[in-house]
């Protein structure tokens, strides 16, 4: 756990706000996932017709997806304000999650926008509503979520001795 001297100062609280920014972006993902799990339809078009057809009979899968997203969204914010229990393990998990979110969200945001602007032309065409959803909503949120986590980790970095 990070020593209270490192956690307690106003500057530490200010730096840990990045984890709350990540929680907000991740929380939006959690919220829409739960909304869809309950049968909501708003913004579902942004996932694409093929996705909707494939998963409409498997909406139950959204419950565990929402749970994983919730842990990834709110866990780091909670840990940053309550002490990093099992610091090496939990911080490593957040590092890994931030890299995955940045890679996935960043790459998909770039590629989907390149498709929308005609810089990439998929041979079989593409689902424009789904491409818009990924280019302008879901993947940028993943990118913001991951980047906020990464900045939070960097800004709250503690010395090796204080992570005991």
């Amino acid at each position: 756990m990070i020593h209270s001297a490192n956690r307690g100062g106003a500057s530490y609280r200010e730096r840990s706000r990045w984890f709350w920014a990540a929680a907000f972006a991740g929380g939006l993902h959690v919220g829409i996932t739960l909304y869809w799990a309950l049968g909501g339809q708003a913004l579902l078009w942004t996932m694409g017709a093929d996705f909707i057809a494939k998963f409409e009979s498997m909406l139950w899968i959204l419950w565990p997806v929402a749970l994983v997203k919730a842990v990834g969204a709110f866990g780091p914010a909670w840990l940053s304000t309550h002490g990093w229990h099992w610091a090496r393990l939990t911080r490593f998990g957040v590092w890994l999650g931030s890299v995955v979110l940045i890679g996935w969200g960043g790459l998909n945001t770039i590629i989907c926008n390149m498709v929308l602007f005609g810089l990439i032309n998929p041979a079989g065409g593409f689902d424009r509503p789904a491409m818009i959803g990924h280019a302008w909503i879901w993947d940028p949120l993943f990118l913001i979520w991951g980047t906020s986590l990464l900045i939070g980790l960097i800004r709250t970095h503690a010395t090796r001795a204080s992570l005991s």
Side-chain angles (χ1 to χ4, degrees):
M1 178 186 311
I2 296 175
H3 294 295
S4 60
N6 291 340
R7 274 176 73 275
S11 63
Y12 186 88
R13 282 192 302 272
E14 186 173 311
R15 290 188 307 252
S16 70
R17 288 184 184 156
W18 287 100
F19 294 116
W20 291 104
F24 179 76
L28 291 173
H29 267 281
V30 172
I32 196 71
T33 302
L34 290 173
Y35 171 75
W36 289 337
L38 291 168
Q41 299 291 310
L43 292 176
L44 195 56
W45 61 269
T46 64
M47 295 305 295
D50 290 341
F51 179 88
I52 294 167
K54 184 176 182 178
F55 288 101
E56 69 184 342
S57 65
M58 297 175 45
L59 289 180
W60 64 268
I61 196 80
L62 294 175
W63 293 101
V65 168
L67 178 62
V68 170
K69 285 181 178 182
V71 169
F74 302 111
W78 188 86
L79 287 168
S80 75
T81 57
H82 291 88
W84 285 92
H85 304 286
W86 306 300
R88 285 186 178 93
L89 178 63
T90 55
R91 286 183 69 89
F92 174 77
V94 176
W95 276 103
L96 184 61
S98 70
V99 169
V100 169
L101 288 166
I102 290 168
W104 180 267
L107 190 60
N108 282 335
T109 298
I110 291 167
I111 291 171
C112 291
N113 275 294
M114 290 176 77
V115 170
L116 287 171
F117 290 106
L119 300 172
I120 297 175
N121 295 306
F126 65 94
D127 184 335
R128 186 168 184 78
M131 199 66 62
I132 289 169
H134 285 281
W136 299 341
I137 303 171
W138 311 123
D139 292 313
L141 269 176
F142 279 134
L143 180 59
I144 291 166
W145 182 2
T147 302
S148 296
L149 287 175
L150 182 62
I151 293 169
L153 286 165
I154 292 168
R155 302 281 316 256
T156 60
H157 178 72
T159 64
R160 188 177 193 107
S162 66
L163 288 176
S164 304

